[in-house]
Amino acid sequence: MLEGWFLYFILFWVVFLVASFAIGGFFMFRKFLKRFPKEDGKSDLDWEEHYVKETIHLWGDEEKQMLNELVTPVPELFRDVAKQKIAGKIGELALKDRASSITQELVIRGYILATPKRDHKFLRKKLNEMQIDVTPYEHLF
């Protein structure tokens, strides 16, 4: 039968697989919930895509570089998803404010509103590194 190190190897492997499937399932379920349509018939991801498409022409090179710089603390695996979510929120704000172009102020406001509170300390640190004053945005943190 199973004895010694082989038994422990099999038990470790079973626990590892079950944990991996649980973690993967959790993130897949979260993605499914974001893709699930709301009352208006569009999902959260549909709205993000809509706002990005509607405001893509408003983005300048400096603002794109700023957004890329701000998301550098995000792990590379999740960086594209984070940029999409943040750009969607910035686009929503731009449409709401009827902005003629995306500004640094819109990028910072959108970033603050799109990210969870636990990530704001990284944003503050990054803005300080970029020598951007955060006092006008304190009410959003």
Side-chain angles (χ1 to χ4, degrees):
M1 274 329 274
L2 297 176
E3 293 179 9
W5 68 270
F6 191 67
L7 172 67
Y8 293 117
F9 174 74
I10 295 296
L11 289 175
F12 167 76
W13 193 245
V14 167
V15 170
F16 175 76
L17 284 176
V18 168
S20 297
F21 285 135
I23 292 168
F26 170 75
F27 285 108
M28 287 179 65
F29 187 69
R30 282 185 51 198
K31 188 75 167 183
F32 169 75
L33 288 179
K34 285 185 176 185
R35 188 50 85 183
F36 201 70
K38 305 291 186 220
E39 304 86 38
D40 60 2
K42 286 190 173 186
S43 68
D44 292 342
L45 293 177
D46 292 337
W47 279 113
E48 284 176 16
E49 291 171 11
H50 168 75
Y51 291 132
V52 169
K53 285 179 185 174
E54 289 292 315
T55 58
I56 193 77
H57 65 282
L58 300 177
W59 284 84
D61 288 337
E62 287 183 30
E63 287 74 26
K64 288 178 186 177
Q65 287 175 334
M66 182 180 188
L67 180 59
N68 286 331
E69 182 68 25
L70 287 174
V71 296
T72 53
V74 177
E76 190 152 347
L77 181 63
F78 306 111
R79 203 169 286 164
D80 289 335
V81 175
K83 276 200 290 194
Q84 175 75 16
K85 180 179 180 182
I86 295 164
K89 180 54 86 172
I90 293 168
E92 179 184 356
L93 292 174
L95 289 176
K96 195 180 293 183
D97 295 350
R98 296 190 178 148
S100 59
S101 67
I102 303 293
T103 62
Q104 176 180 319
E105 185 264 338
L106 271 174
V107 172
I108 295 171
R109 272 187 24 210
Y111 197 104
I112 294 170
L113 295 174
T115 56
K117 295 247 186 251
R118 68 179 179 270
D119 294 339
H120 286 174
K121 63 182 175 186
F122 300 112
L123 175 61
R124 285 178 185 269
K125 182 179 174 187
K126 193 65 178 173
L127 289 172
N128 284 336
E129 287 175 12
M130 296 172 70
Q131 299 175 345
I132 296 174
D133 184 26
V134 295
T135 50
Y137 311 104
E138 284 297 330
H139 66 283
L140 298 173
F141 282 109

